[in-house]
Amino acid sequence: MALARRFPGALAMALARPFPGALAMALRAGGRGARLGSEPRDAGDSPRHRDLREALRKIIDKEINPFVDKWEEEGQFPAHKVFKILGQAGFLGVDKPTEYGGMGLDFSYNIAVAEELGNIRCGGIPMAIGVQAGMATPALTRFGSHELKKQFLIPTIAGDFVACLGISEPGAGSDVANTKACVCLSHDSGINDLLRTKVHDIKTTAVRKGDEYVINGAKMWITSGSQADWMCLLANTSEGPPHRNKSLMCLPMNLPGIHVAKKIDKLGMRSSDTAQIFFEDVRVPCKNVIGEEGKGFTYQMLQFQEERLWGVATALTQMETIIQETIEYTRQRKVFGQPVLHNQSVHFRLAELATELELLRSLLHRAVALYVEGNDVTKFASMAKLKAGRLTREVTDSCLQFWGGMGFTSEVLVSRFYRYV
């Protein structure tokens, strides 16, 4: 009766089957990473999508995952080396024009890549790749001059340049409309940075003098900031209304007056270096402005839908892996003479989490399908981001409990992701 009240209909019947239970059997039958009802996905599951994911998975298994523990311990991964490998295979420009070295595919292929990047056994490297491929370059791709694209976009897609996005400052960063600052957009936690801090407190300025801008100020939480070759900079280039006084510009990181003060030591995302950067009378040519002066706010807001969907896709695979590894561990770990998995409360919780995961996946792929068709999916992208943020906390916290003492060590993946959220 209690089971029927909590899980109506077919789900209750499936969960009521004899142990090891319908969930464990379904996941075991599908192998590692299998999903309940593992049917083809509505957005992005064509043979070409699958081929793309398979090729990326080979790179992850050979060039990235064997070294993740070392990079996590060191607090930095070799971005130029990893990005060059990914760039040569085309994964840094999946939806970028072929004219500039991209694949010229639609956004659903970006999501396929993002989902596969979730198989990297840490969060910092997928986040840095997201900044490189989907946060520092969209405005440049859409609105930048041909000259700027040749100088910055082509080598970024090829993996020769590491890009960063400079937005946050100490106590400032997320309210793009009210920014009083000058430099732009970078973040340590991917798409969430703009939603975390207060841009109206930003003090960095870019003042036009002749055919140059002179930049002064400081940036905080800059992903890949210690290794970046250039920064996408959002600058207040006038004293006008907050929606019309900002400009995006490409800022080479080797210019005089740019000081990388320190690499920030973090609780999580350790393999992604995060820097604090100061600007002192940094001069950049006016031709480095992306698109029209004063349109920086508009350009930045246009890419938020893609950033949110990218982040959700990566998180999905990470959560899926954690649930699967927890099922496998609880099947092997015995308490009071039987596997932990054979306790109904454990089984029910894992079933709930797997169900929530699939519902989020459906929302993601619905949003992606609509977006590829040209629709505004701000609502769905925001919903998916909200749900993903909450579900990652639920999955990591709940699964960690089932690992017992092992969950308190740094040897298992669930404890690493528990620190992230």
Side-chain angles (χ1 to χ4, degrees):
M1 291 291 292
L3 179 62
R5 285 195 300 269
R6 192 174 184 192
F7 297 98
L11 181 58
M13 294 177 60
L15 290 170
R17 293 174 184 168
F19 292 121
L23 173 66
M25 289 192 295
L27 290 172
R28 180 176 59 197
R32 187 182 189 281
R35 298 181 299 277
L36 286 174
S38 187
E39 300 297 329
R41 303 170 197 173
D42 27 303
D45 198 39
S46 71
R48 194 173 186 184
H49 288 88
R50 292 194 291 271
D51 288 345
L52 192 71
R53 292 189 61 160
E54 182 179 348
L56 178 55
R57 185 60 182 269
K58 290 178 180 178
I59 293 176
I60 290 171
D61 289 343
K62 180 181 179 181
E63 305 289 353
I64 298 177
N65 275 342
F67 312 103
V68 162
D69 290 344
K70 176 176 179 287
W71 296 337
E72 283 280 300
E73 184 177 346
E74 293 174 350
Q76 180 172 300
F77 79 101
H80 283 91
K81 178 181 178 181
V82 172
F83 287 176
K84 185 61 182 177
I85 294 169
L86 293 171
Q88 288 177 331
F91 290 110
L92 299 180
V94 171
D95 63 342
K96 302 299 189 292
T98 55
E99 178 184 1
Y100 299 103
M103 291 186 181
L105 302 173
D106 67 50
F107 184 68
S108 68
Y109 290 89
N110 261 13
I111 293 300
V113 167
E115 285 191 88
E116 198 60 44
L117 288 172
N119 284 306
I120 296 175
R121 295 185 70 81
C122 69
I125 297 174
M127 180 180 66
I129 296 170
V131 171
Q132 176 88 358
M135 299 178 195
T137 54
L140 175 60
T141 303
R142 292 170 177 165
F143 306 107
S145 67
H146 178 64
E147 186 63 32
L148 278 182
K149 291 176 184 176
K150 286 197 301 181
Q151 185 178 355
F152 295 99
L153 183 60
I154 289 176
T156 301
I157 291 173
D160 295 321
F161 279 4
V162 172
C164 68
L165 186 63
I167 224 178
S168 291
E169 298 179 4
S174 76
D175 186 358
V176 180
N178 290 319
T179 182
K180 294 215 169 56
C182 181
V183 299
C184 142
L185 316 147
S186 176
H187 26 114
D188 176 58
S189 47
I191 63 174
N192 297 317
D193 180 70
L194 292 177
L195 305 173
R196 249 196 349 253
T197 50
K198 298 178 180 178
V199 171
H200 65 268
D201 291 327
I202 289 178
K203 305 301 181 185
T204 308
T205 58
V207 178
R208 184 164 186 167
K209 294 187 177 180
D211 59 356
E212 294 179 319
Y213 286 102
V214 180
I215 301 167
N216 284 280
K219 289 286 115 185
M220 190 77 167
W221 313 118
I222 307 303
T223 297
S224 302
S226 300
Q227 303 182 74
D229 297 288
W230 70 280
M231 175 186 287
C232 181
L233 187 72
L234 182 65
N236 282 357
T237 48
S238 75
E239 296 295 328
H243 292 82
R244 297 194 294 271
N245 69 345
K246 298 167 182 58
S247 302
L248 281 172
M249 57 186 70
C250 298
L251 178 68
M253 291 295 288
N254 60 354
L255 294 177
I258 297 178
H259 308 285
V260 179
K262 67 175 181 178
K263 185 174 70 174
I264 299 168
D265 189 19
K266 310 184 299 297
L267 174 66
M269 303 292 189
R270 294 191 57 81
S271 55
S272 173
D273 67 286
T274 307
Q276 182 178 15
I277 300 174
F278 291 93
F279 306 94
E280 183 180 359
D281 293 331
V282 179
R283 293 180 175 271
V284 60
C286 292
K287 66 180 182 180
N288 281 28
V289 169
I290 296 171
E292 296 181 40
E293 184 176 306
K295 290 290 185 70
F297 171 81
T298 300
Y299 297 160
Q300 183 60 29
M301 295 302 292
L302 286 173
Q303 69 189 57
F304 276 180
Q305 297 180 74
E306 295 185 2
E307 292 183 14
R308 289 166 179 154
L309 294 172
W310 170 285
V312 172
T314 304
L316 271 174
T317 308
Q318 294 165 346
M319 288 187 282
E320 189 175 42
T321 301
I322 289 169
I323 293 172
Q324 179 66 24
E325 292 189 0
T326 301
I327 289 171
E328 293 170 357
Y329 179 72
T330 54
R331 184 183 293 121
Q332 298 169 10
R333 181 190 176 208
K334 292 187 177 181
V335 176
F336 301 116
Q338 69 172 356
V340 172
L341 185 63
H342 288 190
N343 292 279
Q344 277 193 332
S345 61
V346 176
H347 228 113
F348 291 168
R349 184 56 178 151
L350 291 172
E352 285 181 309
L353 294 173
T355 302
E356 291 291 318
L357 185 66
E358 291 306 321
L359 290 170
L360 177 59
R361 192 191 309 278
S362 296
L363 174 59
L364 170 68
H365 286 287
R366 181 187 180 191
V368 171
L370 289 169
Y371 184 71
V372 170
E373 292 172 357
N375 297 288
D376 184 337
V377 294
T378 299
K379 181 177 73 173
F380 290 137
S382 300
M383 288 176 174
K385 175 186 173 294
L386 173 65
K387 183 61 179 177
R390 290 178 174 174
L391 189 57
T392 52
R393 293 197 299 271
E394 289 187 52
V395 168
T396 53
D397 180 68
S398 293
C399 289
L400 186 72
Q401 312 311 316
F402 302 142
W403 285 79
M406 284 301 297
F408 198 65
T409 71
S410 298
E411 299 178 16
V412 295
L413 186 68
V414 64
S415 66
R416 177 174 292 169
F417 281 94
Y418 180 84
R419 286 188 282 111
Y420 294 167
V421 297

